[in-house]
Amino acid sequence: MNKKWRIKEYDAERTLQIKDKFKLPHLVAQSLTEKNLTDEQINVFLSPTRKDFHDPFKLPDMEKAVERILKAINLNEKIVIYGDYDADGITSTTILKRYMRDRKVEVGTYIPNRLDEGYGLNEDAIKQIAKEGYTLIITVDCGITAENEVEIAKKFGVDVIITDHHEVPEKLPKAVAVIDAKRKDNNYPFNQLAGCGVAFKLIQALSIKLNLKEEEWLKYIDIACIGTISDIVPLIDENRVIAKLGLKLIQVTRNMGLKILIESAGLKEIDSTAISFGISPRVNACGRMGHQEDALNLFLTDDPIEARKLASKIEGYNRERQEIEKRIFNECMEILSKEKDSPCIIIGKENWHHGVIGIVSSKITDLTYKPSILVCFEGEEAKGSGRSIQGFDLHNAVSKCKELLTAFGGHSMAIGLSLKTKDFEKFKKEMQKCANKENIDELKPELLIDSVIDINDISINNIDQLQLLEPFGESNSMPTIMYKNLKIDSIRSLSEGKHLKLVLIDGNTYIDAIGFNMGELVDRYQIGDKVDVVGNIGVNRFRNTEKVQITLSDMRISV
C-alpha cells in the first residue's frame, strides 16, 4: 500500500529555545515544540508531581456527590459501585472499592456481563440491586446516557451518582449528581480524563473533605494509571500526571493482583508499551470472554494464592481470545479474497464471538485501509462492530441505514450496532452505496513524520533521552523519524516470512531495523540498495550489548 509521507513543520526558533533552556536533544525539543507548551508547562510535562493535580471540586456536581456519599456512610446505607467490563471500568471500580474498604466501609460492586447485558446500567440489574437492599448506586465509567435507568432506580428507592467521561447527551439524567467534565456547564480545566481518572478525582475529593493525608488517595494512582493508558485517552495534562506518577508506583506496587499479573505476563520493564500490550489485553480479555468479575477480583484480593489462581485464569482467557481472534481473522481474509473490489468491508457469519469482532475489524481496516464492519449472527439477531479510516465518517454512514438497525452507537472511527439477521444483506448493500459515494479508493494513509534525522542524532544517549517524553500514547506518540540514504547491508525475513529484519549503514555506522508484519518487502529490495526509512528509533539492549534500532513504519528506495 502506498503511504503518503508528510514531514511536520515546526517553529525552528522555539525548538532551539527549548533545546538550549532545558538541555535536551533536538528530537525531544522538537516534540515539545509541537505541543505548544509554555516553559512552565514543559516543566510539568517532563517532571509532574502530586502538586500538579487540579482541584476536584471544580468538577460539576462533585460537592453534591461527596455530600451524598458521606451521608450514606454515616447512615450505614448499602452502597454499590456500578462499573464497566473493560480495563477502564474495572480499574475505576477497583479504585473506589479499595478506597472505601480502607475507610472500613464495605460496598458492593456490579459489573454487567458484556455478552448477556451489554454496556451500562440496565433495568434488570437495577431491580436486583434494589432487591438486595442497596439505596445508593455510584456509577463509574458509565451512566451519562442512563436517563431512563435513573428514573427506574428512583422508583425502587435507589439514588444514583453518575461518574463518567463519555460524551454528554442533550438531556442529563436526573441523578443526585452527574460528574462528567464534558458537561456544557463544566468549569474543570481538563475534560479528557478516563473513567478511572474521574473515580480517582472522586476519592481525592472525599479525602479532602475527610481531612486525610494525600497518600490515602495517591496510593491508588498505579491502578488509575492502568485504566488511563488502557482507555487510549490523550496522555496530556492531568492524564499525563496520572500515567507518569502511576508508572513509578507500579514498579513497587502493593496491589497483589497487579504485581502477580505483571509476573504472569512476563513483563520485565514497565512502561506505557508494557501496559498497552501486556496488561490491558489481559484485563480486557476477561470482559470480552464474559468473565469480568475475575479481573476485578484480581485487583481487589490481597491473598497471593488467590491472585495466582486468578492470574492463571486470566492468561487462559487471553489465549482463548487470541485463538478466536485468529480464527475470525483468517475466515475474514478467505472471504475477502473473493471480494477485493468492495469499498467498505462488511462481513457477517455465524459462530463468531461478538466480544472479539471489534479487534478483528480494527486489524482488517489497518491491513486494507478500508472501513470494515463485522457482524456475528446469533439466530434471528445479529451484532456488529466496525472501524473506519481518516476521511470516512462511519457513524454518519451507518446512521443513513438506521431503519435497518435495532440499535447503533459510536463515533466517526468506531461503531457498534445490532440488527435482525434477515436485514444484513440489505444493510450491506446500503452501506456499500454510501461508501461508493465517498470515493474511498482515493483515500490514502498518511504517514506523519516528526523529524528528519541523520548520523548526529543517533547517539545512544540522545535516543535514551526520548524516554523523557514517556509515557507514550494518544496525543503523545513516540516521535516518528525519517532517515535518508541508508545502504542495505543485509536483509532477511523472520517468523516464516512475517517480519522484516535489516542492517543499514550510514558511513561507518551500522543500524539495525525491524519491520513487523512487513516480511513481504524482502523480495523488493536487495543488498546495496539505498533506502529512506520511517519509523521509531530506540536502543535494543540484549546480552550486555547496545544497538540503535529503528522499528519501521515504511521504507522506499532513495531518490
Side-chain angles (χ1 to χ4, degrees):
M1 183 186 304
N2 293 323
K3 296 180 181 178
K4 293 186 285 187
W5 294 12
R6 181 164 70 84
I7 302 169
K8 294 179 183 177
E9 295 183 2
Y10 287 93
D11 182 337
E13 185 177 344
R14 176 59 176 154
T15 298
L16 189 59
Q17 286 175 354
I18 294 171
K19 180 180 177 180
D20 291 343
K21 178 165 185 174
F22 294 93
K23 304 295 186 289
L24 297 170
H26 184 80
L27 189 53
V28 175
Q30 202 170 51
S31 182
L32 292 170
T33 301
E34 182 193 8
K35 301 178 191 307
N36 293 316
L37 303 174
T38 64
D39 286 355
E40 183 180 351
Q41 289 170 328
I42 288 173
N43 276 319
V44 174
F45 186 89
L46 294 175
S47 304
T49 72
R50 62 178 63 186
K51 301 301 179 187
D52 295 315
F53 287 105
H54 303 307
D55 177 1
F57 288 102
K58 288 184 178 179
L59 278 161
D61 284 0
M62 181 62 85
E63 189 78 47
K64 292 179 183 176
V66 168
E67 286 179 6
R68 180 65 184 89
I69 291 168
L70 293 179
K71 176 185 175 185
I73 292 172
N74 290 332
L75 295 176
N76 291 317
E77 292 183 59
K78 288 188 73 175
I79 304 169
V80 65
I81 304 161
Y82 194 113
D84 184 26
Y85 42 71
D86 70 357
D88 190 14
I90 295 294
T91 53
S92 302
T93 308
T94 300
I95 289 166
L96 198 49
K97 168 83 173 180
R98 291 197 75 113
Y99 178 84
M100 290 293 199
R101 186 194 290 174
D102 278 354
R103 312 276 78 74
K104 310 300 181 187
V105 179
E106 280 303 319
V107 299
T109 59
Y110 191 96
I111 310 288
N113 185 291
R114 177 178 188 147
L115 307 180
D116 299 330
E117 299 173 81
Y119 170 79
L121 287 163
N122 67 78
E123 184 173 347
D124 288 342
I126 291 168
K127 287 179 180 177
Q128 183 60 36
I129 285 167
K131 185 178 178 181
E132 292 176 11
Y134 290 100
T135 55
L136 178 61
I137 295 172
I138 306 172
T139 77
V140 288
D141 192 33
C142 65
I144 197 65
T145 60
E147 182 184 358
N148 293 334
E149 289 77 9
V150 167
E151 294 306 312
I152 290 167
K154 285 182 184 177
K155 289 178 183 177
F156 285 97
V158 181
D159 282 347
V160 180
I161 292 171
I162 292 169
T163 77
D164 204 347
H165 71 119
H166 293 101
E167 294 298 329
V168 176
E170 283 297 316
K171 192 174 180 183
L172 287 175
K174 293 180 179 178
V176 171
V178 180
I179 303 173
D180 190 325
K182 290 189 172 76
R183 282 178 52 165
K184 290 179 181 177
D185 60 347
N186 174 60
N187 291 315
Y188 197 69
F190 183 61
N191 72 350
Q192 297 295 317
L193 288 165
C196 63
V198 182
F200 189 67
K201 300 304 294 185
L202 176 58
I203 68 168
Q204 181 190 8
L206 284 165
S207 298
I208 291 170
K209 193 66 77 171
L210 293 169
N211 293 314
L212 300 176
K213 293 179 180 179
E214 286 183 329
E215 286 74 15
E216 292 303 310
W217 55 275
L218 281 170
K219 65 184 178 182
Y220 300 110
I221 201 168
D222 51 355
I223 302 298
C225 169
I226 300 290
T228 296
I229 292 174
S230 298
D231 212 48
I232 321 180
V233 289
L235 291 187
I236 56 175
D237 202 285
E238 202 163 29
N239 286 339
R240 180 171 174 83
V241 181
I242 290 170
K244 187 127 183 163
L245 298 185
L247 283 170
K248 290 180 181 179
L249 187 57
I250 290 172
Q251 312 287 343
V252 291
T253 184
R254 290 185 173 183
N255 186 290
M256 184 60 67
L258 176 55
K259 186 185 295 186
I260 287 173
L261 186 61
I262 289 169
E263 288 176 11
S264 69
L267 300 173
K268 305 300 181 187
E269 186 176 342
I270 303 301
D271 55 15
S272 56
T273 301
I275 304 302
S276 297
F277 296 98
I279 300 299
S280 301
R282 287 169 167 79
V283 177
N284 282 324
C286 296
R288 291 185 185 282
M289 306 311 294
H291 302 286
Q292 64 286 343
E293 294 291 342
D294 285 334
L296 177 62
N297 290 334
L298 177 71
F299 288 142
L300 291 178
T301 187
D302 294 321
D303 181 350
I305 295 174
E306 183 186 6
R308 291 191 189 283
K309 287 179 181 177
L310 288 167
S312 178
K313 289 172 73 174
I314 289 169
E315 288 295 329
Y317 302 146
N318 195 44
R319 284 193 297 272
E320 184 183 1
R321 187 268 305 170
Q322 290 171 329
E323 289 166 5
I324 292 171
E325 180 186 322
K326 184 178 180 180
R327 174 178 62 81
I328 295 173
F329 179 80
N330 289 338
E331 289 176 9
C332 286
M333 295 310 294
E334 186 177 344
I335 294 168
L336 276 180
S337 66
K338 304 166 187 173
E339 298 182 9
K340 292 181 179 178
D341 296 330
S342 300
C344 181
I345 296 165
I346 303 175
I347 304 172
K349 207 170 186 292
E350 292 180 338
N351 300 318
W352 279 356
H353 195 295
H354 73 249
V356 176
I357 54 174
I359 307 175
V360 182
S361 175
S362 182
K363 284 190 170 186
I364 287 173
T365 291
D366 287 345
L367 183 68
T368 62
Y369 205 69
K370 291 181 179 181
S372 68
I373 300 174
L374 303 189
V375 177
C376 50
F377 303 143
E378 301 171 354
E380 295 180 358
E381 306 295 325
K383 293 180 180 178
S385 186
R387 301 293 185 268
S388 195
I389 58 175
Q390 290 296 333
F392 183 72
D393 188 328
L394 187 58
H395 186 272
N396 182 55
V398 168
S399 68
K400 293 176 182 176
C401 310
K402 62 183 178 182
E403 70 280 356
L404 296 170
L405 304 175
T406 54
F408 76 98
H411 51 82
S412 62
M413 297 299 288
I415 55 97
L417 55 84
S418 301
L419 72 163
K420 297 293 183 183
T421 300
K422 65 181 177 62
D423 291 329
F424 172 74
E425 290 299 333
K426 290 180 185 176
F427 170 72
K428 180 176 179 177
K429 188 175 180 181
E430 290 302 311
M431 280 296 300
Q432 298 290 18
K433 283 182 184 176
C434 290
N436 274 319
K437 289 178 183 177
E438 297 290 332
N439 297 317
I440 285 175
D441 289 342
E442 295 178 10
L443 298 174
K444 298 293 182 185
E446 188 173 65
L447 195 52
L448 285 176
I449 298 163
D450 292 290
S451 185
V452 179
I453 67 168
D454 58 30
I455 197 72
N456 298 312
D457 298 305
I458 62 166
S459 73
I460 285 175
N461 180 58
N462 278 356
I463 296 169
D464 276 343
Q465 287 196 64
L466 287 174
Q467 297 307 304
L468 292 169
L469 301 172
E470 267 274 12
F472 295 114
E474 188 73 13
S475 299
N476 185 44
S477 301
M478 185 180 291
T480 298
I481 58 91
M482 179 167 71
Y483 203 138
K484 303 174 76 173
N485 285 314
L486 290 163
K487 187 169 78 170
I488 297 177
D489 183 64
S490 74
I491 180 169
R492 59 192 173 96
S493 61
L494 304 174
S495 302
E496 298 179 344
K498 188 175 182 182
H499 308 307
L500 186 69
K501 177 69 175 172
L502 304 101
V503 176
L504 306 168
I505 309 175
D506 184 357
N508 295 319
T509 301
Y510 289 80
I511 303 165
D512 286 350
I514 181 100
F516 294 109
N517 299 308
M518 295 172 67
E520 77 280 358
L521 297 183
V522 72
D523 296 324
R524 298 189 199 175
Y525 300 91
Q526 57 188 7
I527 292 171
D529 282 347
K530 287 287 190 77
V531 293
D532 300 339
V533 301
V534 173
N536 305 128
I537 194 161
V539 178
N540 184 18
R541 292 181 169 89
F542 182 69
R543 292 181 181 172
N544 298 319
T545 62
E546 296 181 327
K547 289 185 179 181
V548 173
Q549 178 173 283
I550 299 173
T551 301
L552 298 173
S553 300
D554 202 5
M555 63 185 291
R556 65 188 182 193
I557 294 291
S558 299
V559 178

